[in-house]
Amino acid sequence: DGGITQSPKYLFRKEGQNVTLSCEQNLNHDAMYWYRQDPGQGLRLIYYSQIVNDFQKGDIAEGYSVSREKKESFPLTVTSAQKNPTAFYLCASSPHTGGRETQYFGPGTRLLVL
Amino acid sequence: GQQLNQSPQSMFIQEGEDVSMNCTSSSIFNTWLWYKQDPGEGPVLLIALYKAGELTSNGRLTAQFGITRKDSFLNISASIPSDVGIYFCAGPNDGGATNKLIFGTGTLLAVQP
């Protein structure tokens, strides 16, 4: 089945540690996105990529990094510079780069800081 | 910057009741999307609207693209317990140039059997 997978479902990070969240899609979508969701809040854009080997910062990129070496993969690294990393992280992809915008989401990864 | 105001913030209803929620924007949108998020899961696209005045249904759900292009409405008829979740509206953040979306803060729906 086509879709977006995120792993792991839960991730624990120690203080000062970098962690990488995985996002893979087999939908052949060009664009991919990372969002952060905090309790009672909407989704905030961290990074997005419209094409392989290219990505742009979203609204809250500080303390995060990404790469887009393959069309189907868009991993997110939460660095030690992110002071409040505990949140629910959602990856999304989109088949269009303009026009009829529609994004499809993965199941999410919950990151907890120990 | 653009903002999406979604209301109500939460709703507590009895099974079988109809539900209405809306979303307003500070600027004109050319696309409106409605998502539902179950607890601990990613949002699922319910309905996509691309034309002012458009009325689209998906089962018991009906959404409308407001004539002013600054608002959208979602209605759920004859609610059932599995309708529980958070409903988000979303629209293009930059007129569609990059496919970026801005999301509302969500409407939490609770349905009592």
Side-chain angles (χ1 to χ4, degrees), chain A residues 9 31 33 35 37 40-43 45 48 50 59 88 90 94 96-108 110, chain B residues 30-31 33 35 37 40-45 48 50 86 88 92-106:
Chain A
K9 184 70 172 176
Y33 311 80
Y35 292 89
Q37 186 177 30
Q41 297 191 30
L43 281 65
L45 184 64
Y48 67 102
Q50 297 183 81
D59 300 318
F88 191 47
L90 288 159
S94 174
H96 300 291
T97 53
R100 294 198 162 194
E101 302 83 359
T102 306
Q103 291 182 17
Y104 300 89
F105 286 84
R110 188 166 298 279
Chain B
N30 54 27
T31 298
L33 305 173
Y35 289 87
Q37 184 177 29
E41 299 294 332
V44 174
L45 181 66
Y50 300 110
I86 303 176
F88 290 101
N93 199 18
D94 55 2
T98 62
N99 235 28
K100 290 168 59 179
L101 296 177
I102 182 172
F103 287 81
T105 52

Side-chain angles (χ1 to χ4, degrees), chain A residues 1-4 26-27:
Chain A
D1 289 351
I4 303 172
N26 60 3
L27 301 168

Side-chain angles (χ1 to χ4, degrees), chain B:
Chain B
Q2 290 181 323
Q3 291 183 333
L4 282 184
N5 296 309
Q6 197 168 343
S7 66
Q9 288 187 335
S10 60
M11 303 179 72
F12 300 90
I13 62 172
Q14 296 283 336
E15 182 177 1
E17 290 184 17
D18 296 342
V19 171
S20 293
M21 60 189 78
N22 68 78
C23 199
T24 58
S25 169
S26 57
S27 58
I28 291 174
F29 278 9
N30 54 27
T31 298
W32 282 101
L33 305 173
W34 285 94
Y35 289 87
K36 182 196 176 195
Q37 184 177 29
D38 291 330
E41 299 294 332
V44 174
L45 181 66
L46 297 174
I47 294 176
L49 302 163
Y50 300 110
K51 185 178 178 181
E54 181 180 358
L55 186 71
T56 297
S57 294
N58 178 6
R60 294 177 294 104
L61 278 63
T62 302
Q64 184 163 23
F65 194 138
I67 291 294
T68 66
R69 295 171 63 192
K70 289 187 175 182
D71 55 11
S72 180
F73 309 89
L74 177 68
N75 297 314
I76 305 173
S77 62
S79 59
I80 59 178
S82 62
D83 290 334
V84 165
I86 303 176
Y87 292 79
F88 290 101
C89 60
N93 199 18
D94 55 2
T98 62
N99 235 28
K100 290 168 59 179
L101 296 177
I102 182 172
F103 287 81
T105 52
T107 293
L108 172 64
L109 178 63
V111 179
Q112 183 168 356

